[in-house]
Structure formats: structure tokens, C-alpha cells
Amino acid sequence: MKKKKQFATEPPTVAELGEKKANLLIQELWEKLREYEDRLALSSRNSSKSPSSDSPADKAERKKLKRLVVEIRLALNLDIRGIKDH
């Protein structure tokens, strides 16, 4: 069974919609994007999903992000100390 293309047609232009409708559409799509990003960020740690539903790639990505956050905090802390000393 062939999957139907969701976006088979070209998107409307601002000229076709008018500025007010175009801005409303942008807001609606922006909210939908944020909702999808929030859903993608869900893991067993911040939802009711079981730990076995987390893929190894997701776990590795979380570990990398955690390490990066620690490095950034350390770098910022060093920069702040350097500023206070002068």
C-alpha cells in the first residue's frame, strides 16, 4: 500500500492568503512545530513511557547532551571567575 503524500500541493503565498491570514497560519504552524518538538523530547524520564521504550540512540544522545551542559556550565563558571578577578 502506497503512503499518501501529506504535502502534495505547494504552500499558499502571502499574496494569496493576505497578511493577516498568513500571520495566523504561521502562528498555528509554529505552535504545531513546538508540540512536535515536545513530543520528540519525551523519554521514560519525563513521561509515563517505560524505560524499555527508549532506544540506545536516545540514551546516547541524552548522555552527550548532559556532558555538553556540564562543559558549558564549567566554561561559563571559569569566564565569570575571570571577570570578577579583574
Side-chain angles (χ1 to χ4, degrees):
M1 186 185 257
K2 199 172 189 181
K3 187 175 180 182
K4 184 180 175 184
K5 289 184 180 181
Q6 188 173 1
F7 301 104
T9 63
E10 291 295 316
T13 64
V14 175
E16 292 171 347
L17 293 175
E19 190 174 335
K20 189 174 183 177
K21 282 186 180 180
N23 283 329
L24 289 172
L25 179 61
I26 290 169
Q27 287 178 333
E28 180 184 330
L29 293 173
W30 192 262
E31 288 171 14
K32 207 175 249 313
L33 175 64
R34 290 171 75 189
E35 177 188 324
Y36 291 150
E37 287 176 335
D38 290 345
R39 263 199 248 164
L40 283 172
L42 288 180
S43 70
S44 62
R45 291 176 180 253
N46 59 9
S47 71
S48 60
K49 291 170 59 176
S50 67
S52 62
S53 67
D54 289 345
S55 72
D58 290 341
K59 291 176 186 175
E61 184 67 23
R62 261 199 317 274
K63 203 172 192 178
K64 260 195 272 185
L65 287 173
K66 202 182 262 187
R67 233 181 285 132
L68 182 62
V69 167
V70 168
E71 288 177 20
I72 290 170
R73 286 183 180 170
L74 285 173
L76 287 173
N77 194 18
L78 291 175
D79 287 346
I80 292 170
R81 284 189 198 162
I83 293 170
K84 288 180 182 175
D85 292 341
H86 293 278

